[in-house]
Amino acid sequence: MFSKEEIAQRIAKEIKDGYYVNLGIGIPTLVANYIPKGINVVLQSENGLLGMGPFPFEGEEDADLINAGKQTITTLPGSSIFDSAMSFGMIRAQKVDLTILGAMEVSENGDIANWKIPGKMVKGMGGAMDLVASAKNIIVAMQHVNKAGESKLLPKCTLPLTGVKCIKKIVTELAVLDILPEGGFKLLERAPGVGIEFIQQSTAGRLVVEGEIPEMRLD
Amino acid sequence: MINKVVSGAEEAIRDIADGATLMLGGFGLCGIPENCINALVKKQVKQLTCISNNAGVDDFGIGLMLQQRQVKKMISSYVGENAEFERQLLSGELEVDLIPQGTLATRCLAAGYGMPAIFTPAGVGTEVAAGKEIRNFNGKDYLMEYAFDADFAIVKAWKGDTAGNLMFRSTSRNFNPVMAMAGKITIAEVEELVEAGELDPDHIHTPGIYVHRIFQGKDYEKRIEQRTVRKSEV
């Protein structure tokens, strides 16, 4: 079974040279730590920055320079700053190559829910609805089951939706799965030591297993 | 040239009355108009509709206005940092319109560009789409969203001049330039106010035509919401 760091590490392997990438809050933020060496990747922060750098050294924090998670960050050579309308303009115009975000639920037809639990949690969608409605390529990073032990990969989402038919790939602590155009979670890889049966038990939606399923590799 | 310079926040907000619709710039606590928010709290105007990406934290930013029950309705994209907000929302004391962040920004932009509406795919197929007109362009559905109509836009800039021209610094730019364009009356508080002519026209982010009142703010706290650092490399 993979840790959050290992989920992030596996997702980082999907990032290619020259990509502009938007990372959501949570596990997606960790992906920045594992971007393969030797490739050039520009991170977009939707509050208005391209070229997000690492956290500042202690004492060098700048209250005017934060990421979309409100964390203090730095710029890098080649960074640029812009306003919120332009930021979502480049997202809507599909200039951003890859979006990685978390989810509470994903359905077998690619719907995602991640912004609201009616009566309990109402934090808002932030930029997630804009991102999932426009992104060319979206990977969801999440736990396969919730804290109550219920599957988050469902035939149909039960929570209010963030977007419809938009998710292409999911990486969890158990598996890597693609969402098939005709619907269904196609099992691509399993975490080391995790059996197909266990993945099947943890997946409420339709799981498609064809042929040999290799173990995930992080190198 | 029209005199746009006012003495401070109190004079800048003098005619903001109960029931007004305000836009407030900033992302989280970054680039928020601290001086004007404090003056609004002091003035005790009520029944306000506030358009702002976030709602501050419990004891800073718009959170201060929520504490005083000055806000009737918030139009925001993300409000997760404020417990008092969540309490007022769940108890029904506060009306809230949660909308996608890009939609929020672009509805400001539309107002400033003189366009009545925009079409965006954000929210199609979700509860955000309820009651909205949907148009299909090139095989994809888009929601029609209206330009905002705000009585006042209140923004924070880094530098400004007496002609109302504004420059922003780093990611404190965020919603400020688009909101500055969108108010019927736009109030700008700046960290440094200079004479017209001192800023390079090539470096202006918001042209003064959009700004009606400007003043040099004071005592900026610039609170950091999530202080994250890495250890120095030895």
Side-chain angles (χ1 to χ4, degrees), chain A residues 170-184:
Chain A
I170 305 169
V171 180
T172 75
E173 79 280 20
L174 303 180
V176 181
L177 312 104
D178 265 357
I179 296 200
L180 296 169
E182 68 273 21

Side-chain angles (χ1 to χ4, degrees), chain B residues 42-54:
Chain B
K42 201 170 154 202
K43 190 175 154 76
Q44 283 296 310
V45 275
K46 302 232 183 268
Q47 296 290 104
L48 298 170
T49 295
C50 293
I51 303 166
S52 174
N53 189 54
N54 312 89

Side-chain angles (χ1 to χ4, degrees), chain A residues 55 62 64 72 92 123, chain B residues 79 106 127 169 171 228 230:
Chain A
F55 295 148
D62 178 350
D64 287 339
T72 46
R92 222 180 281 120
K123 293 185 188 299
Chain B
V79 294
T106 316
E127 63 181 53
R169 184 177 172 276
T171 58
T228 44
R230 63 187 147 137

Side-chain angles (χ1 to χ4, degrees), chain A residues 92-113:
Chain A
R92 222 180 281 120
Q94 303 195 328
K95 306 295 179 190
V96 177
D97 299 288
L98 177 62
T99 291
I100 301 167
L101 78 178
M104 297 172 185
E105 294 177 351
V106 176
S107 77
E108 63 189 35
N109 69 344
D111 295 352
I112 175 171

